[in-house]
Amino acid sequence: SQQGEEDPQALSIQEGENATMNCSYKTSINNLQWYRQNSGRGLVHLILIRSNEREKHSGRLRVTLDTSKKSSSLLITASRAADTASYFCATDAWANFGNEKLTFGTGTRLTIIP
Amino acid sequence: DARVTQTPRHKVTEMGQEVTMRCQPILGHNTVFWYRQTMMQGLELLAYFRNRAPLDDSGMPKDRFSAEMPDATLATLKIQPSEPRDSAVYFCASGYRDSQLGEQFFGPGTRLTVL
């Protein structure tokens, strides 16, 4: 089963508005990562937040992590047309130390309307 | 500008044929992953290597898929025989693990169509 589940599955907003995507996961993690995928391209790493961190910023991105609720959110402020893409969360499961692997969620398809 | 490269970018083949996909990870990375992406299943981990040793290939159909790293600069994913249900985009990614698994760098993918 998927370790990460994003919500919503699809989101359309006007350019300039903020976009918020959520991710829930099931097991204890070392870290949680967010990736972006433009249509027909590979995934691009956006930001990594460790299990002992609660919030992290990178440019227009803000990520929060609530390990008690096993959830994370990605906020993109002042959205631009170029932000149109699919966004995935990925968790690095703690269960097998030294043998971690990332498990990707199902993704949120974000469309920015000019 | 270090990046993961994959060849071929596109492959169309007939059912039953052998398919070999190649990946050159970023120099210095010690972990290499193979993923498959489809509309129905999303992104699935097929196999991964650390320091060229296979750590987990539980995501691969064992009877037809095989993954190897003959050297640090080349990872291969082979399907023999291929089937129409193997049609997907196959991504290779590399990363470096020290105390934790960090970010992964994805290649552009191989779009495979099996007729």
Side-chain angles (χ1 to χ4, degrees):
Chain A
S1 61
Q2 292 281 359
Q3 167 75 325
E5 297 285 345
E6 284 90 341
D7 168 53
Q9 288 189 330
L11 178 64
S12 292
I13 60 172
Q14 293 291 135
E15 190 169 19
E17 294 180 340
N18 296 341
T20 300
M21 290 158 271
N22 303 296
C23 168
S24 60
Y25 57 92
K26 296 176 182 173
T27 64
S28 296
I29 60 172
N30 289 322
N31 64 58
L32 185 145
Q33 304 179 32
W34 284 91
Y35 287 79
R36 182 186 71 221
Q37 184 180 32
N38 291 90
S39 181
R41 309 288 290 274
L43 280 72
V44 174
H45 180 265
L46 294 176
I47 196 166
L48 180 153
I49 185 165
R50 301 192 188 281
S51 59
N52 61 353
E53 296 176 312
R54 292 296 167 259
E55 187 170 313
K56 202 161 184 180
H57 297 255
S58 176
R60 294 184 296 112
L61 305 180
R62 173 176 164 252
V63 169
T64 62
L65 179 64
D66 187 336
T67 53
S68 66
K69 296 181 179 178
K70 292 186 169 56
S71 67
S72 173
S73 67
L74 171 67
L75 168 68
I76 304 174
T77 60
S79 63
R80 304 167 182 170
D83 296 328
T84 294
S86 292
Y87 291 81
F88 296 86
C89 70
T91 50
D92 170 9
W94 176 256
N96 298 306
F97 182 72
N99 195 26
E100 307 95 328
K101 55 188 177 184
L102 286 186
T103 304
F104 285 82
T106 51
T108 292
R109 176 68 190 169
L110 175 66
T111 302
I112 307 300
I113 304 166
Chain B
D1 183 24
R3 59 182 68 188
V4 176
T5 59
Q6 290 185 247
T7 57
R9 292 293 310 278
H10 301 272
K11 176 73 175 179
V12 179
T13 191
E14 293 189 346
M15 183 174 61
Q17 296 298 305
E18 177 178 302
V19 175
T20 299
M21 291 168 271
R22 293 176 174 81
C23 166
Q24 182 171 13
I26 293 173
L27 192 64
H29 283 181
N30 62 0
T31 312
V32 176
F33 304 82
W34 282 105
Y35 293 93
R36 175 172 63 185
Q37 188 176 38
T38 61
M39 289 293 292
M40 294 299 294
Q41 299 297 325
L43 198 62
E44 303 173 280
L45 177 66
L46 297 176
Y48 73 108
F49 297 78
R50 181 154 300 135
N51 298 320
R52 294 178 54 204
L55 283 191
D56 189 342
D57 61 1
S58 60
M60 290 199 311
K62 298 288 192 303
D63 56 339
R64 299 184 301 107
F65 284 59
S66 62
E68 295 179 348
M69 274 203 78
D71 62 61
T73 64
L74 177 65
T76 63
L77 180 66
K78 189 175 295 185
I79 308 174
Q80 168 63 23
S82 58
E83 298 181 0
R85 59 179 168 157
D86 301 329
S87 297
V89 182
Y90 291 81
F91 289 104
C92 173
S94 71
Y96 187 80
R97 184 194 176 274
D98 43 26
S99 60
Q100 291 184 4
L101 186 59
E103 67 177 285
Q104 294 184 17
F105 294 79
F106 279 74
T110 294
R111 182 173 294 276
L112 174 64
T113 303
V114 183
L115 304 174

